[in-house]
Amino acid sequence: MNNPSSTPPPSGASSWGQVLGSAVVAAIGFGFAVYRYIQFSGAASGIRLSRLERPIYRLAGKWGLIVIFLIMGIWGAYAMVKHFRQLKK
């Protein structure tokens, strides 16, 4: 009954779900950063911001909003690499 494959992983272990979730966060962050850059540069018609983006846009402007999305993408990519390395151990 002491089969090593049936023991649960330690609480600090990563899973493929965490790797996939971090990849999704990175894709959303970088995707919105590119989308807002295109939108603010005039290539896209009409600027429609979400309720979460409006206060950020009022406080930091268009570049502040783009930087926040880039930070979100970088954090997601970092977390994805961190979870992937823990998974490989």
Side-chain angles (χ1 to χ4, degrees):
M1 297 301 161
N2 288 332
N3 187 358
S5 64
S6 66
T7 59
S11 62
S14 293
S15 68
W16 283 107
Q18 290 172 320
V19 173
L20 184 63
S22 299
V24 168
V25 168
I28 289 171
F30 289 132
F32 270 109
V34 169
Y35 177 70
R36 291 299 179 207
Y37 175 76
I38 291 170
Q39 195 175 31
F40 290 138
S41 69
S45 62
I47 296 175
R48 305 249 335 156
L49 299 174
S50 70
R51 287 185 180 194
L52 291 173
E53 293 172 325
R54 278 186 225 139
I56 298 168
Y57 181 74
R58 285 188 207 125
L59 288 173
K62 65 181 179 181
W63 289 110
L65 189 61
I66 291 170
V67 166
I68 287 175
F69 283 128
L70 286 174
I71 290 171
M72 180 180 161
I74 290 169
W75 179 83
Y78 169 76
M80 179 183 61
V81 169
K82 182 181 82 169
H83 290 306
F84 185 74
R85 284 185 180 171
Q86 285 180 354
L87 194 62
K88 286 295 189 178
K89 283 186 181 182

Coordinates of all heavy atoms in Angstrom, one line a residue:
M1 N 0.8 -1.2 0.0 CA 0.0 0.0 0.0 C 0.8 1.3 0.0 O 0.3 2.3 -0.1 CB -0.9 0.0 1.2 CG -2.0 -1.1 1.3 SD -3.0 -1.0 -0.2 CE -3.6 -2.6 -0.2
N2 N 2.1 1.1 0.1 CA 3.0 2.3 0.1 C 3.5 2.6 -1.3 O 4.7 2.7 -1.6 CB 4.2 2.1 1.0 CG 3.8 2.2 2.5 OD1 2.8 2.9 2.7 ND2 4.5 1.5 3.3
N3 N 2.6 2.6 -2.3 CA 3.0 2.9 -3.7 C 3.3 4.4 -3.8 O 2.5 5.3 -3.5 CB 1.8 2.6 -4.6 CG 2.1 2.7 -6.0 OD1 3.2 3.0 -6.4 ND2 1.2 2.3 -6.9
P4 N 4.6 4.7 -4.2 CA 5.0 6.1 -4.3 C 4.1 6.9 -5.3 O 4.0 8.1 -5.2 CB 6.4 6.1 -4.8 CG 6.8 4.7 -5.0 CD 5.6 3.8 -4.6
S5 N 3.6 6.3 -6.3 CA 2.8 7.0 -7.3 C 1.4 7.4 -6.8 O 0.7 8.3 -7.3 CB 2.6 6.2 -8.6 OG 1.9 5.0 -8.3
S6 N 1.0 6.8 -5.7 CA -0.3 7.2 -5.1 C -0.3 8.2 -4.0 O -1.3 8.6 -3.5 CB -1.0 5.9 -4.6 OG -0.3 5.4 -3.5
T7 N 0.9 8.6 -3.6 CA 1.1 9.6 -2.6 C 0.8 11.0 -3.1 O 1.2 11.3 -4.3 CB 2.4 9.5 -1.9 OG1 3.4 9.8 -2.9 CG2 2.7 8.2 -1.2
P8 N 0.1 11.8 -2.4 CA -0.2 13.1 -2.9 C 1.1 14.0 -3.0 O 2.1 13.8 -2.2 CB -1.1 13.7 -1.9 CG -0.9 13.0 -0.7 CD -0.5 11.6 -1.1
P9 N 1.2 14.9 -3.9 CA 2.4 15.7 -4.0 C 2.5 16.7 -2.8 O 1.5 17.0 -2.1 CB 2.2 16.5 -5.3 CG 0.8 16.5 -5.5 CD 0.3 15.2 -4.9
P10 N 3.7 17.1 -2.4 CA 3.8 18.1 -1.3 C 3.1 19.3 -1.6 O 2.7 19.7 -2.7 CB 5.3 18.3 -1.3 CG 6.0 17.5 -2.3 CD 5.0 16.8 -3.0
S11 N 2.7 20.1 -0.6 CA 1.9 21.3 -0.7 C 2.5 22.3 -1.6 O 1.8 23.1 -2.1 CB 1.5 21.8 0.7 OG 2.7 22.2 1.3
G12 N 3.8 22.4 -1.6 CA 4.5 23.4 -2.4 C 4.7 23.0 -3.9 O 5.3 23.8 -4.6
A13 N 4.3 21.9 -4.2 CA 4.6 21.4 -5.6 C 3.7 22.1 -6.6 O 2.5 22.4 -6.3 CB 4.4 19.9 -5.7
S14 N 4.2 22.2 -7.8 CA 3.4 22.8 -8.9 C 2.7 21.7 -9.7 O 3.0 20.6 -9.6 CB 4.4 23.6 -9.8 OG 4.9 24.7 -9.2
S15 N 1.7 22.2 -10.4 CA 0.9 21.3 -11.3 C 0.8 21.9 -12.7 O 1.1 23.0 -12.9 CB -0.5 21.0 -10.7 OG -1.2 22.2 -10.8
W16 N 0.4 21.1 -13.6 CA 0.2 21.5 -15.0 C -0.9 22.6 -15.0 O -0.8 23.5 -15.9 CB -0.1 20.4 -15.9 CG 1.2 19.6 -16.2 CD1 1.5 18.3 -15.8 CD2 2.3 20.0 -17.0 NE1 2.7 18.0 -16.3 CE2 3.2 19.0 -17.0 CE3 2.6 21.2 -17.8 CZ2 4.4 19.0 -17.7 CZ3 3.8 21.2 -18.4 CH2 4.7 20.2 -18.4
G17 N -1.8 22.5 -14.1 CA -2.9 23.6 -14.1 C -2.3 24.9 -13.8 O -2.7 26.0 -14.3
Q18 N -1.3 25.0 -12.8 CA -0.7 26.2 -12.5 C 0.1 26.8 -13.7 O 0.2 28.0 -13.9 CB 0.2 26.1 -11.3 CG -0.6 25.9 -10.0 CD 0.2 25.5 -8.8 OE1 1.2 24.8 -8.9 NE2 -0.1 26.1 -7.7
V19 N 0.8 25.9 -14.4 CA 1.6 26.3 -15.5 C 0.7 26.9 -16.6 O 0.9 27.9 -17.2 CB 2.4 25.1 -16.1 CG1 3.1 25.5 -17.4 CG2 3.5 24.6 -15.1
L20 N -0.4 26.2 -16.9 CA -1.4 26.6 -17.9 C -2.0 27.9 -17.4 O -2.2 28.9 -18.3 CB -2.4 25.5 -18.1 CG -3.4 25.8 -19.2 CD1 -2.8 26.0 -20.5 CD2 -4.5 24.7 -19.2
G21 N -2.4 28.0 -16.2 CA -3.0 29.3 -15.7 C -2.1 30.5 -15.8 O -2.5 31.6 -16.2
S22 N -0.8 30.3 -15.5 CA 0.2 31.3 -15.6 C 0.4 31.7 -17.1 O 0.6 32.9 -17.4 CB 1.5 30.9 -15.0 OG 1.3 30.6 -13.6
A23 N 0.4 30.7 -17.9 CA 0.5 31.0 -19.4 C -0.7 31.9 -19.9 O -0.5 32.8 -20.7 CB 0.6 29.7 -20.2
V24 N -1.9 31.6 -19.4 CA -3.1 32.3 -19.8 C -3.0 33.8 -19.3 O -3.3 34.7 -20.0 CB -4.4 31.6 -19.2 CG1 -5.6 32.5 -19.3 CG2 -4.6 30.3 -20.0
V25 N -2.5 33.9 -18.0 CA -2.4 35.3 -17.5 C -1.3 36.1 -18.3 O -1.5 37.3 -18.6 CB -1.9 35.2 -16.0 CG1 -1.5 36.6 -15.5 CG2 -3.1 34.7 -15.1
A26 N -0.2 35.4 -18.7 CA 0.8 36.1 -19.5 C 0.2 36.5 -20.9 O 0.4 37.6 -21.4 CB 2.0 35.2 -19.7
A27 N -0.5 35.6 -21.5 CA -1.1 35.9 -22.8 C -2.1 37.0 -22.7 O -2.2 37.9 -23.6 CB -1.8 34.6 -23.4
I28 N -3.0 37.0 -21.7 CA -3.9 38.1 -21.5 C -3.2 39.4 -21.3 O -3.6 40.4 -21.9 CB -4.9 37.8 -20.4 CG1 -5.8 36.6 -20.8 CG2 -5.7 39.0 -20.0 CD1 -6.7 36.1 -19.6
G29 N -2.2 39.4 -20.4 CA -1.5 40.7 -20.2 C -0.8 41.2 -21.4 O -1.0 42.4 -21.8
F30 N -0.1 40.4 -22.1 CA 0.6 40.9 -23.3 C -0.4 41.2 -24.4 O -0.2 42.2 -25.2 CB 1.6 39.8 -23.8 CG 2.8 39.7 -23.0 CD1 3.3 38.5 -22.6 CD2 3.5 40.8 -22.5 CE1 4.4 38.4 -21.8 CE2 4.6 40.7 -21.7 CZ 5.1 39.5 -21.3
G31 N -1.5 40.4 -24.5 CA -2.5 40.6 -25.6 C -3.2 42.0 -25.4 O -3.4 42.7 -26.3
F32 N -3.6 42.3 -24.1 CA -4.3 43.5 -23.9 C -3.3 44.7 -24.0 O -3.7 45.8 -24.5 CB -4.9 43.6 -22.5 CG -6.3 43.1 -22.5 CD1 -6.6 41.9 -21.9 CD2 -7.3 43.8 -23.0 CE1 -7.9 41.4 -21.9 CE2 -8.6 43.4 -23.0 CZ -8.9 42.2 -22.4
A33 N -2.0 44.5 -23.7 CA -1.1 45.6 -23.9 C -0.9 46.0 -25.4 O -1.0 47.1 -25.7 CB 0.3 45.2 -23.3
V34 N -0.8 44.9 -26.2 CA -0.7 45.2 -27.6 C -2.0 45.8 -28.2 O -2.0 46.7 -29.0 CB -0.4 43.9 -28.4 CG1 -0.5 44.0 -29.9 CG2 1.0 43.4 -28.0
Y35 N -3.2 45.3 -27.7 CA -4.5 45.8 -28.2 C -4.7 47.2 -27.8 O -5.1 48.0 -28.6 CB -5.6 44.9 -27.6 CG -7.0 45.4 -27.9 CD1 -7.4 45.3 -29.2 CD2 -7.8 45.9 -27.0 CE1 -8.7 45.7 -29.6 CE2 -9.1 46.4 -27.3 CZ -9.5 46.3 -28.6 OH -10.8 46.7 -28.9
R36 N -4.3 47.6 -26.5 CA -4.5 49.0 -26.1 C -3.5 49.9 -26.8 O -3.8 51.0 -27.2 CB -4.3 49.1 -24.6 CG -5.5 48.5 -23.8 CD -6.8 49.1 -24.1 NE -7.8 48.5 -23.4 CZ -9.1 48.4 -23.8 NH1 -9.5 49.0 -24.9 NH2 -10.0 47.8 -23.0
Y37 N -2.3 49.4 -27.1 CA -1.3 50.2 -27.9 C -1.9 50.5 -29.3 O -1.8 51.7 -29.7 CB 0.0 49.5 -28.0 CG 1.0 50.3 -28.8 CD1 1.6 51.4 -28.3 CD2 1.3 49.9 -30.1 CE1 2.5 52.1 -29.1 CE2 2.1 50.6 -30.9 CZ 2.7 51.7 -30.4 OH 3.6 52.4 -31.2
I38 N -2.4 49.5 -29.9 CA -3.0 49.7 -31.3 C -4.2 50.6 -31.2 O -4.4 51.5 -32.0 CB -3.4 48.3 -31.9 CG1 -2.1 47.5 -32.2 CG2 -4.2 48.5 -33.1 CD1 -2.4 46.1 -32.6
Q39 N -5.0 50.5 -30.2 CA -6.2 51.3 -30.0 C -5.8 52.8 -29.7 O -6.4 53.7 -30.3 CB -7.0 50.7 -28.8 CG -8.4 51.3 -28.8 CD -9.2 50.6 -27.7 OE1 -8.7 50.2 -26.7 NE2 -10.5 50.5 -27.9
F40 N -4.8 53.0 -28.9 CA -4.4 54.3 -28.5 C -3.6 55.0 -29.7 O -3.6 56.2 -29.8 CB -3.6 54.4 -27.2 CG -4.4 54.1 -26.0 CD1 -3.9 53.3 -25.0 CD2 -5.7 54.7 -25.9 CE1 -4.7 53.0 -23.9 CE2 -6.4 54.4 -24.7 CZ -5.9 53.6 -23.7
S41 N -3.0 54.2 -30.5 CA -2.2 54.8 -31.6 C -3.1 55.3 -32.8 O -2.6 55.9 -33.7 CB -1.2 53.8 -32.1 OG -1.9 52.7 -32.8
G42 N -4.4 54.9 -32.7 CA -5.3 55.4 -33.7 C -5.6 54.4 -34.8 O -6.4 54.7 -35.6
A43 N -5.0 53.2 -34.8 CA -5.2 52.2 -35.8 C -6.6 51.6 -35.6 O -7.2 51.1 -36.5 CB -4.1 51.2 -35.8
A44 N -7.1 51.5 -34.3 CA -8.4 50.9 -34.1 C -9.4 52.1 -33.8 O -9.0 53.1 -33.4 CB -8.3 50.0 -32.8
S45 N -10.6 51.8 -34.1 CA -11.6 52.9 -34.0 C -12.3 52.8 -32.7 O -12.6 51.7 -32.2 CB -12.6 52.7 -35.1 OG -13.3 51.5 -35.0
G46 N -12.5 53.9 -32.0 CA -13.2 54.0 -30.8 C -12.5 53.4 -29.6 O -12.1 52.2 -29.6
I47 N -12.4 54.1 -28.5 CA -11.7 53.6 -27.3 C -12.8 53.3 -26.3 O -13.6 54.2 -25.9 CB -10.8 54.6 -26.7 CG1 -9.6 54.9 -27.7 CG2 -10.2 54.2 -25.4 CD1 -8.7 56.0 -27.3
R48 N -13.0 52.0 -26.0 CA -13.9 51.6 -25.0 C -13.2 50.9 -23.9 O -12.6 49.8 -24.1 CB -14.9 50.6 -25.6 CG -15.6 51.1 -26.8 CD -17.1 51.4 -26.7 NE -17.8 50.6 -25.7 CZ -18.9 51.1 -25.1 NH1 -19.4 52.2 -25.5 NH2 -19.5 50.3 -24.2
L49 N -13.1 51.5 -22.7 CA -12.4 50.9 -21.6 C -13.4 50.2 -20.6 O -14.5 50.7 -20.5 CB -11.7 52.0 -20.8 CG -10.6 52.8 -21.6 CD1 -10.1 53.9 -20.8 CD2 -9.5 51.9 -22.1
S50 N -12.9 49.2 -20.0 CA -13.7 48.5 -19.0 C -13.8 49.3 -17.7 O -13.1 50.3 -17.5 CB -13.2 47.1 -18.7 OG -12.0 47.2 -18.0
R51 N -14.6 48.9 -16.8 CA -14.8 49.6 -15.5 C -13.5 49.5 -14.7 O -13.2 50.5 -13.9 CB -15.9 48.9 -14.7 CG -17.2 49.3 -15.2 CD -18.3 48.7 -14.3 NE -19.6 49.0 -14.8 CZ -20.7 48.9 -14.0 NH1 -20.6 48.5 -12.8 NH2 -21.8 49.2 -14.6
L52 N -12.7 48.5 -14.8 CA -11.4 48.4 -14.1 C -10.3 49.3 -14.8 O -9.5 49.8 -14.1 CB -10.9 47.0 -14.1 CG -11.7 46.0 -13.2 CD1 -11.2 44.6 -13.4 CD2 -11.6 46.4 -11.8
E53 N -10.4 49.5 -16.1 CA -9.4 50.2 -16.8 C -9.6 51.8 -16.7 O -8.7 52.5 -16.7 CB -9.4 49.9 -18.2 CG -8.9 48.5 -18.5 CD -9.1 48.0 -19.9 OE1 -10.1 48.5 -20.6 OE2 -8.2 47.3 -20.4
R54 N -10.9 52.2 -16.5 CA -11.1 53.6 -16.5 C -10.4 54.4 -15.4 O -9.8 55.4 -15.7 CB -12.6 53.9 -16.4 CG -13.3 53.8 -17.7 CD -14.8 54.1 -17.6 NE -15.5 53.1 -18.3 CZ -16.7 52.6 -17.9 NH1 -17.2 52.9 -16.8 NH2 -17.2 51.6 -18.7
P55 N -10.4 53.9 -14.1 CA -9.7 54.7 -13.1 C -8.2 54.7 -13.3 O -7.5 55.7 -13.1 CB -10.0 54.0 -11.8 CG -11.1 53.0 -12.1 CD -11.2 52.9 -13.5
I56 N -7.7 53.6 -13.8 CA -6.2 53.5 -14.1 C -5.9 54.5 -15.2 O -4.9 55.2 -15.2 CB -5.8 52.1 -14.5 CG1 -6.1 51.1 -13.3 CG2 -4.4 52.0 -14.9 CD1 -6.0 49.7 -13.7
Y57 N -6.8 54.6 -16.3 CA -6.5 55.5 -17.4 C -6.6 56.9 -16.9 O -5.8 57.8 -17.3 CB -7.6 55.2 -18.5 CG -7.4 56.1 -19.7 CD1 -6.4 55.9 -20.6 CD2 -8.3 57.2 -19.9 CE1 -6.3 56.7 -21.7 CE2 -8.2 58.0 -21.0 CZ -7.2 57.7 -21.9 OH -7.1 58.5 -23.0
R58 N -7.5 57.2 -16.0 CA -7.6 58.6 -15.5 C -6.4 59.0 -14.6 O -5.9 60.1 -14.7 CB -8.9 58.8 -14.6 CG -10.1 58.8 -15.4 CD -11.3 59.2 -14.6 NE -12.5 58.6 -15.2 CZ -13.4 57.8 -14.6 NH1 -13.2 57.4 -13.4 NH2 -14.4 57.3 -15.3
L59 N -5.9 58.0 -13.9 CA -4.7 58.3 -13.0 C -3.4 58.3 -13.8 O -2.6 59.2 -13.5 CB -4.6 57.3 -11.9 CG -5.7 57.4 -10.8 CD1 -5.6 56.2 -9.9 CD2 -5.5 58.7 -10.0
A60 N -3.2 57.3 -14.6 CA -1.9 57.2 -15.2 C -1.8 57.4 -16.7 O -0.7 57.5 -17.3 CB -1.4 55.7 -15.0
G61 N -2.9 57.6 -17.3 CA -2.9 57.8 -18.8 C -2.8 56.6 -19.6 O -2.8 55.4 -19.0
K62 N -2.7 56.7 -20.9 CA -2.6 55.6 -21.8 C -1.4 54.7 -21.5 O -1.4 53.5 -21.6 CB -2.7 56.0 -23.2 CG -1.6 56.8 -23.8 CD -1.9 57.1 -25.2 CE -0.7 58.0 -25.8 NZ -1.0 58.4 -27.2
W63 N -0.2 55.4 -21.3 CA 1.0 54.6 -21.1 C 1.0 53.9 -19.8 O 1.5 52.8 -19.6 CB 2.2 55.5 -21.2 CG 2.4 55.9 -22.6 CD1 2.3 57.1 -23.2 CD2 2.8 55.0 -23.7 NE1 2.5 57.1 -24.5 CE2 2.8 55.8 -24.9 CE3 3.1 53.7 -23.8 CZ2 3.2 55.3 -26.1 CZ3 3.4 53.2 -25.1 CH2 3.5 54.0 -26.2
G64 N 0.4 54.4 -18.8 CA 0.2 53.7 -17.5 C -0.6 52.5 -17.6 O -0.2 51.4 -17.0
L65 N -1.7 52.5 -18.4 CA -2.5 51.4 -18.6 C -1.7 50.3 -19.4 O -1.8 49.1 -19.0 CB -3.7 51.8 -19.4 CG -4.9 50.8 -19.6 CD1 -5.4 50.4 -18.2 CD2 -6.0 51.4 -20.4
I66 N -1.0 50.7 -20.4 CA -0.2 49.7 -21.2 C 0.9 49.1 -20.3 O 1.1 47.9 -20.4 CB 0.4 50.4 -22.4 CG1 -0.7 50.8 -23.4 CG2 1.4 49.5 -23.1 CD1 -0.3 51.6 -24.6
V67 N 1.5 49.9 -19.5 CA 2.6 49.4 -18.6 C 2.0 48.4 -17.6 O 2.7 47.3 -17.3 CB 3.3 50.5 -17.9 CG1 4.2 50.0 -16.7 CG2 4.2 51.3 -18.9
I68 N 0.9 48.6 -17.1 CA 0.2 47.7 -16.1 C 0.0 46.4 -16.8 O 0.2 45.3 -16.2 CB -1.0 48.3 -15.5 CG1 -0.6 49.4 -14.5 CG2 -1.9 47.2 -14.8 CD1 -1.8 50.2 -13.9
F69 N -0.5 46.4 -18.0 CA -0.7 45.1 -18.8 C 0.6 44.4 -19.1 O 0.6 43.2 -19.0 CB -1.5 45.4 -20.1 CG -3.0 45.6 -19.8 CD1 -3.7 46.7 -20.3 CD2 -3.7 44.7 -19.1 CE1 -5.0 46.9 -20.1 CE2 -5.1 44.9 -18.9 CZ -5.7 46.0 -19.4
L70 N 1.6 45.2 -19.4 CA 2.9 44.6 -19.6 C 3.5 43.9 -18.3 O 4.0 42.8 -18.4 CB 3.9 45.6 -20.1 CG 3.7 46.0 -21.6 CD1 4.7 47.1 -21.9 CD2 3.9 44.8 -22.5
I71 N 3.3 44.6 -17.2 CA 3.7 44.0 -15.9 C 2.9 42.7 -15.6 O 3.5 41.7 -15.2 CB 3.5 45.0 -14.8 CG1 4.6 46.1 -14.9 CG2 3.6 44.3 -13.4 CD1 4.4 47.3 -14.0
M72 N 1.6 42.7 -16.0 CA 0.8 41.5 -15.8 C 1.3 40.4 -16.7 O 1.4 39.2 -16.2 CB -0.6 41.8 -16.2 CG -1.6 40.7 -16.1 SD -3.2 41.3 -16.5 CE -4.1 39.8 -16.9
G73 N 1.7 40.7 -17.9 CA 2.3 39.7 -18.8 C 3.6 39.1 -18.3 O 3.8 37.9 -18.4
I74 N 4.5 40.0 -17.9 CA 5.8 39.6 -17.4 C 5.6 38.7 -16.1 O 6.3 37.7 -16.0 CB 6.7 40.8 -17.1 CG1 7.0 41.5 -18.4 CG2 7.9 40.5 -16.3 CD1 7.7 42.9 -18.3
W75 N 4.7 39.1 -15.2 CA 4.5 38.3 -14.0 C 3.9 36.9 -14.4 O 4.4 35.9 -13.8 CB 3.5 39.0 -13.1 CG 3.2 38.2 -11.9 CD1 4.0 38.1 -10.7 CD2 2.2 37.3 -11.7 NE1 3.5 37.2 -9.9 CE2 2.3 36.7 -10.4 CE3 1.1 36.9 -12.4 CZ2 1.5 35.7 -9.9 CZ3 0.2 35.9 -11.9 CH2 0.4 35.4 -10.7
G76 N 3.0 36.9 -15.3 CA 2.5 35.6 -15.8 C 3.6 34.7 -16.4 O 3.6 33.5 -16.1
A77 N 4.4 35.3 -17.2 CA 5.5 34.5 -17.8 C 6.5 34.0 -16.7 O 7.0 32.9 -16.8 CB 6.3 35.4 -18.8
Y78 N 6.8 34.9 -15.8 CA 7.7 34.5 -14.7 C 7.1 33.3 -13.9 O 7.8 32.4 -13.6 CB 8.0 35.7 -13.8 CG 8.7 35.3 -12.5 CD1 10.0 35.0 -12.5 CD2 8.0 35.2 -11.3 CE1 10.7 34.6 -11.3 CE2 8.6 34.9 -10.1 CZ 9.9 34.6 -10.1 OH 10.5 34.2 -8.9
A79 N 5.8 33.5 -13.5 CA 5.2 32.4 -12.8 C 5.1 31.1 -13.6 O 5.3 30.0 -13.0 CB 3.8 32.9 -12.3
M80 N 4.9 31.2 -14.9 CA 4.8 30.0 -15.7 C 6.2 29.3 -15.7 O 6.2 28.1 -15.5 CB 4.5 30.4 -17.1 CG 4.4 29.2 -18.1 SD 4.0 29.7 -19.8 CE 5.4 30.8 -20.2
V81 N 7.3 30.0 -15.9 CA 8.6 29.4 -15.9 C 8.9 28.8 -14.5 O 9.5 27.7 -14.4 CB 9.7 30.5 -16.3 CG1 11.1 30.0 -16.0 CG2 9.5 30.9 -17.7
K82 N 8.5 29.5 -13.4 CA 8.8 29.1 -12.1 C 8.0 27.7 -11.8 O 8.6 26.8 -11.3 CB 8.4 30.1 -11.0 CG 8.6 29.7 -9.6 CD 8.2 30.8 -8.6 CE 6.7 30.6 -8.4 NZ 6.1 31.4 -7.3
H83 N 6.8 27.7 -12.2 CA 6.0 26.5 -12.0 C 6.5 25.3 -12.8 O 6.5 24.2 -12.4 CB 4.5 26.7 -12.2 CG 3.8 27.6 -11.2 ND1 3.9 27.3 -9.9 CD2 3.1 28.7 -11.3 CE1 3.2 28.3 -9.2 NE2 2.8 29.1 -10.1
F84 N 6.9 25.7 -14.1 CA 7.4 24.6 -15.0 C 8.7 24.0 -14.4 O 8.9 22.8 -14.5 CB 7.6 25.2 -16.4 CG 8.0 24.2 -17.4 CD1 7.1 23.3 -17.9 CD2 9.3 24.1 -17.8 CE1 7.5 22.3 -18.8 CE2 9.7 23.2 -18.7 CZ 8.8 22.2 -19.2
R85 N 9.6 24.9 -13.9 CA 10.8 24.3 -13.3 C 10.6 23.5 -12.1 O 11.2 22.5 -11.9 CB 11.8 25.5 -13.0 CG 12.4 26.1 -14.2 CD 13.4 27.2 -13.8 NE 14.0 27.7 -15.0 CZ 14.8 28.8 -14.9 NH1 15.1 29.4 -13.8 NH2 15.3 29.3 -16.0
Q86 N 9.6 23.9 -11.2 CA 9.3 23.1 -10.1 C 8.7 21.8 -10.5 O 8.9 20.8 -9.8 CB 8.3 23.8 -9.2 CG 8.9 24.9 -8.4 CD 7.9 25.7 -7.5 OE1 6.7 25.4 -7.5 NE2 8.4 26.6 -6.7
L87 N 7.9 21.8 -11.6 CA 7.3 20.6 -12.1 C 8.3 19.6 -12.6 O 8.2 18.4 -12.5 CB 6.3 20.9 -13.1 CG 5.3 19.9 -13.6 CD1 4.4 19.5 -12.4 CD2 4.4 20.4 -14.7
K88 N 9.4 20.1 -13.2 CA 10.4 19.3 -13.8 C 11.3 18.6 -12.7 O 12.0 17.6 -13.0 CB 11.3 20.1 -14.7 CG 10.6 20.4 -16.1 CD 10.4 19.1 -16.8 CE 9.9 19.3 -18.2 NZ 9.7 18.1 -18.9
K89 N 11.3 19.2 -11.5 CA 12.2 18.6 -10.4 C 11.8 17.3 -10.0 O 10.8 16.8 -10.0 CB 12.3 19.5 -9.2 CG 13.2 20.7 -9.5 CD 13.3 21.5 -8.2 CE 14.2 22.7 -8.4 NZ 14.4 23.5 -7.3

